[in-house]
Amino acid sequence: MSEYLFELFVLTVRLYAVMDPMGAIPIFISLTSKKSTEERMKMLKLATGVVVTIVSILSISGSTILEVLGITPPSIKIGGGILLMVLAIDEMRGILRSRMPLEEELAVVPLAIPLLVGPGTIAMILMLTSIMPWYIVLVAALIASLLSFLTLLSSELLLRVLGKSATAALSKFMTIILAAFASEMIFSALVDWGVI
């Protein structure tokens, strides 16, 4: 039982790091700065609903998707690892290549997709479902979604308490964790293939 709980904890932390709600805080605040508290909450609830729907579908049918497409777990690991590394490097350099906000449906695009559920999150869930029971991945993804919701819900308070520079520093730390996990995925794939 404690083994499953530890596994669940590790997966939740990994998925939370990939979703990177701390990095989404400045964008969320800028998107909602002229909105009322009620409108902000409505937007956040809609975004969370979209995130939960996507991660649930991926967690439940991720391994089936891989089988149908004929993709092996090491391929997902190396592809996802490279993708996560690129995203981490972009984040560190401050490049927002997929984060330009649109005027309409801001809760869905860019808040839910691609800020919280971007290519990195999708690749991570597909990779995890290929090597772990889907229900553990699903629970971890749902907990990470809830934690992301709570993080964004408290965004104004976090900015006030931590200040902009501390929030940015925390986001950079999460980016380093993301890059480290990307390296681990690539290394694991190379081991699976017998290269190392």
Side-chain angles (χ1 to χ4, degrees):
M1 184 65 174
S2 59
E3 230 177 82
Y4 279 113
L5 287 176
F6 180 73
E7 219 168 62
L8 183 63
F9 173 76
V10 170
L11 290 183
T12 301
V13 169
R14 286 179 176 177
L15 287 168
Y16 181 81
V18 174
M19 287 180 177
D20 189 21
M22 292 300 294
I25 284 176
I27 297 168
F28 176 65
I29 289 174
S30 72
L31 291 175
T32 59
S33 59
K34 295 178 180 176
K35 298 187 180 299
S36 67
T37 304
E38 189 179 296
E39 289 173 320
R40 194 178 297 119
M41 179 59 79
K42 186 178 177 184
M43 179 184 281
L44 187 53
K45 283 180 180 176
L46 177 58
T48 304
V50 172
V51 168
V52 165
T53 301
I54 294 171
V55 299
S56 297
I57 291 169
L58 287 172
S59 299
I60 293 167
S61 61
S63 56
T64 306
I65 291 169
L66 293 181
E67 283 175 30
V68 169
L69 296 175
I71 299 171
T72 62
S75 299
I76 285 288
K77 285 181 189 175
I78 203 149
I82 291 168
L83 186 59
L84 288 177
M85 187 62 75
V86 169
L87 291 173
I89 291 168
D90 283 356
E91 188 73 31
M92 272 298 190
R93 293 174 57 210
I95 296 172
L96 304 175
R97 70 173 72 178
S98 64
R99 296 191 173 186
M100 294 305 289
L102 301 176
E103 289 300 319
E104 67 281 351
E105 302 298 334
L106 292 176
V108 179
V109 178
L111 189 54
I113 307 164
L115 284 179
L116 296 176
V117 181
T121 306
I122 294 168
M124 171 84 75
I125 291 174
L126 288 176
M127 186 275 296
L128 290 173
T129 57
S130 70
I131 59 173
M132 308 205 62
W134 66 268
Y135 52 88
I136 293 178
V137 178
L138 175 61
V139 173
L142 292 176
I143 294 171
S145 300
L146 175 64
L147 292 174
S148 296
F149 169 79
L150 294 173
T151 301
L152 290 175
L153 183 64
S154 58
S155 57
E156 288 181 50
L157 177 65
L158 278 173
L159 270 180
R160 236 178 296 140
V161 171
L162 297 176
K164 287 186 180 180
S165 55
T167 306
L170 191 53
S171 176
K172 294 298 181 193
F173 174 73
M174 294 302 282
T175 303
I176 292 167
I177 297 296
L178 184 61
F181 186 69
S183 301
E184 198 62 43
M185 284 174 71
I186 293 167
F187 177 77
S188 177
L190 295 174
V191 169
D192 289 347
W193 280 334
V195 176
I196 296 177

